[in-house]
Amino acid sequence: MDFNVKKLASDAGVFFTRAVQFTEEKLGQAEKTELDAHFENLLSRADSTKNWTEKILRQTEVLLQPNPSARIEEFLYEKLDRKIPSRITNGELLGQYMIDAASEFGPGTPYGSTLIKVGEAQRRLGAADRDFIQSSMINFLTPLRNFLEGDWKTISKERRLLENRRLDLDACKARLKKAKAAEAKAAATPDFQETRPRNYVLSASASAAEQELRLAQTEFDRQAEVTRLLLEGISSTHTNHLRCLHEFVEAQSTYYAQCYQYTLDLQKLLGSSNREMYPSAFVGNTDSPAPPSGISPSAATIPVVPSLTGPGTPTPSSVGFTEVSPPSSGTRKARVLYDYDAADSSELELFADELITVYSLPGMDSDWLMGEKGNKKGKVPVTYLELLN
């Protein structure tokens, strides 16, 4: 192997000089060239950007993939430059289990048919989760990772080079200072014949130190300018990350909107199925039979008030439901399961977990009951209630 001994010795000498300069600065025995305030602010801003980008990247990865083992596996595949295998989401796996269970229990049974409906909904939720993860990885995580593995590495390399140039510059300043001090001391001594050669040597040494200083200053200024331009590019990085953040929020909003719509459709589908299988569990009368076995007591029937006819008695055709007084008997308490926004003034707005009084009136649709809370009353959907007594 061919070694360049001169280059090796030169590099070792430079390294030793920098190490001595660095040590003396730490001990307070040497002066240090300080950067201007604007440059220091750029350095601080860049460090802060790098640190917070790392934290946001890592926590977003935890949000998208809570399983640490799966994250480690994906990291290894990425480092080995291999394609990450497709992984089924938890929602899709749950949906598949439900559908498989329905096949065994019998898809024609109430439980089996419901398992199929819920399983299909869970598979759709899992697919939406997969789309959200892929979109976030491409549009949000990838740009952050590219900054850390690309731009930041370049900035760090140039900063280290700038620090070396500064150490070289300060070492040259120290050598020049010593050379001038020795030259001044020699000039103050008597001009004996034997001191003249030594004075010439000291003068040449000072001139050489000045030349080295000018060269070191030029290299330092050039490297400082390169590093400054890279640091000022952090503003463009912030702009790019801002755009990526908007795309992440948009993907997240789409994902949660899909999840809400899927679960809402499932809720309506299950509500209509329950009314078809157990009609007496939602609308009943005083002679209605007890709820079928397995049905919660909260689904017990509500007596229907007999139609009152006679002189002066209003009928549903002549007066709105909200104008009819509640019956003296047959009212019940109900707990609201979900929030409900009233479509018009004839309906009552509901909030989850609040208690209201409900009753049935002649002529009402089987999907609705009359509800009262405080001094307000109006129609309420049966599927949003849990009857308590």
Side-chain angles (χ1 to χ4, degrees):
M1 185 177 294
D2 184 20
F3 286 101
N4 191 331
V5 178
K6 290 184 179 180
K7 184 177 185 305
L8 184 63
S10 176
D11 292 343
V14 171
F15 177 80
F16 178 75
T17 302
R18 291 171 180 172
V20 171
Q21 179 65 26
F22 180 81
T23 304
E24 290 180 350
E25 289 176 358
K26 292 298 182 182
L27 297 176
Q29 299 175 356
E31 297 180 358
K32 176 181 178 181
T33 300
E34 299 292 342
L35 302 171
D36 60 84
H38 175 65
F39 202 100
E40 291 289 351
N41 289 335
L42 291 177
L43 290 174
S44 176
R45 186 164 177 251
D47 289 334
S48 179
T49 300
K50 180 256 184 182
N51 293 333
W52 284 111
T53 300
E54 282 184 334
K55 292 181 180 180
I56 293 173
L57 174 65
R58 299 293 175 257
Q59 193 57 37
T60 305
E61 290 176 338
V62 173
L63 173 68
L64 299 179
Q65 179 52 268
N67 188 346
S69 299
R71 292 200 304 273
I72 294 175
E73 181 183 354
E74 292 175 358
F75 175 78
L76 293 177
Y77 273 103
E78 181 180 348
K79 290 303 180 183
L80 295 174
D81 197 18
R82 297 178 59 184
K83 183 179 179 181
I84 300 176
S86 179
R87 181 181 290 107
I88 187 172
T89 63
N90 294 328
E92 290 174 316
L93 185 60
L94 175 60
Q96 189 60 49
Y97 285 165
M98 289 183 173
I99 294 174
D100 293 343
S103 299
E104 185 170 342
F105 298 151
T109 63
Y111 184 38
S113 62
T114 303
L115 277 174
I116 292 177
K117 296 173 184 176
V118 178
E120 290 293 344
Q122 294 301 322
R123 291 175 66 175
R124 287 194 293 269
L125 290 172
D129 188 22
R130 180 195 300 276
D131 293 340
F132 170 59
I133 293 175
Q134 292 178 347
S135 176
S136 300
M137 290 285 291
I138 296 173
N139 298 325
F140 187 60
L141 292 186
T142 298
L144 298 186
R145 191 176 289 110
N146 288 342
F147 164 73
L148 293 174
E149 297 179 356
D151 295 348
W152 180 252
K153 286 187 176 181
T154 302
I155 292 174
S156 299
K157 177 183 176 181
E158 297 300 330
R159 285 178 65 177
R160 287 193 299 268
L161 189 56
L162 176 64
E163 180 65 11
N164 291 336
R165 293 287 183 264
R166 186 196 63 76
L167 290 173
D168 293 341
L169 175 63
D170 290 338
C172 290
K173 289 181 179 179
R175 283 197 296 270
L176 178 61
K177 185 177 180 181
K178 291 179 181 179
K180 285 188 174 295
E183 184 180 12
K185 183 178 179 180
T189 60
D191 189 15
F192 298 116
Q193 186 73 22
E194 59 274 12
T195 62
R196 291 179 182 179
R198 179 170 176 270
N199 291 344
Y200 292 150
V201 171
L202 293 175
S203 177
S205 176
S207 298
E210 289 180 351
Q211 180 65 25
E212 290 180 357
L213 177 60
R214 285 193 293 271
L215 180 60
Q217 185 69 55
T218 301
E219 293 292 335
F220 173 78
D221 292 341
R222 182 185 297 112
Q223 185 59 37
E225 180 65 18
V226 171
T227 307
R228 183 185 64 80
L229 292 176
L230 290 174
L231 293 175
E232 289 178 346
I234 293 294
S235 298
S236 299
T237 299
H238 285 189
T239 302
N240 183 40
H241 289 182
L242 174 62
R243 177 184 56 80
C244 297
L245 186 61
H246 279 285
E247 293 182 358
F248 172 72
V249 172
E250 183 178 353
Q252 195 173 42
S253 175
T254 302
Y255 166 64
Y256 285 119
Q258 288 177 331
C259 291
Y260 173 75
Q261 188 61 48
Y262 292 154
T263 52
L264 185 62
D265 293 343
L266 176 63
Q267 180 188 12
K268 293 179 179 178
L269 181 62
L270 295 182
S272 61
S273 299
N274 287 338
R275 285 193 296 272
E276 292 175 1
M277 289 186 295
Y278 311 115
S280 61
F282 296 92
V283 177
N285 49 53
T286 55
D287 299 326
S288 60
S293 175
I295 300 303
S296 171
S298 63
T301 60
I302 298 179
V304 178
V305 179
S307 176
L308 302 178
T309 56
T313 302
T315 63
S317 60
S318 60
V319 66
F321 285 123
T322 57
E323 301 176 12
V324 178
S325 301
S328 58
S329 62
T331 61
R332 302 191 58 179
K333 290 292 184 180
R335 184 176 70 88
V336 179
L337 299 176
Y338 321 100
D339 292 346
Y340 177 76
D341 296 329
D344 51 47
S345 59
S346 67
E347 298 179 6
L348 191 64
E349 186 174 10
L350 303 177
F351 299 97
D353 296 327
E354 69 176 340
L355 297 178
I356 63 174
T357 301
V358 294
Y359 50 90
S360 178
L361 292 178
M364 289 190 67
D365 190 288
S366 60
D367 293 338
W368 298 86
L369 292 172
M370 285 300 296
E372 286 190 1
K373 58 177 182 177
N375 58 354
K376 297 180 180 179
K377 61 180 179 178
K379 297 191 300 180
V380 294
V382 175
T383 54
Y384 281 71
L385 304 176
E386 177 187 4
L387 304 180
L388 302 178
N389 54 21

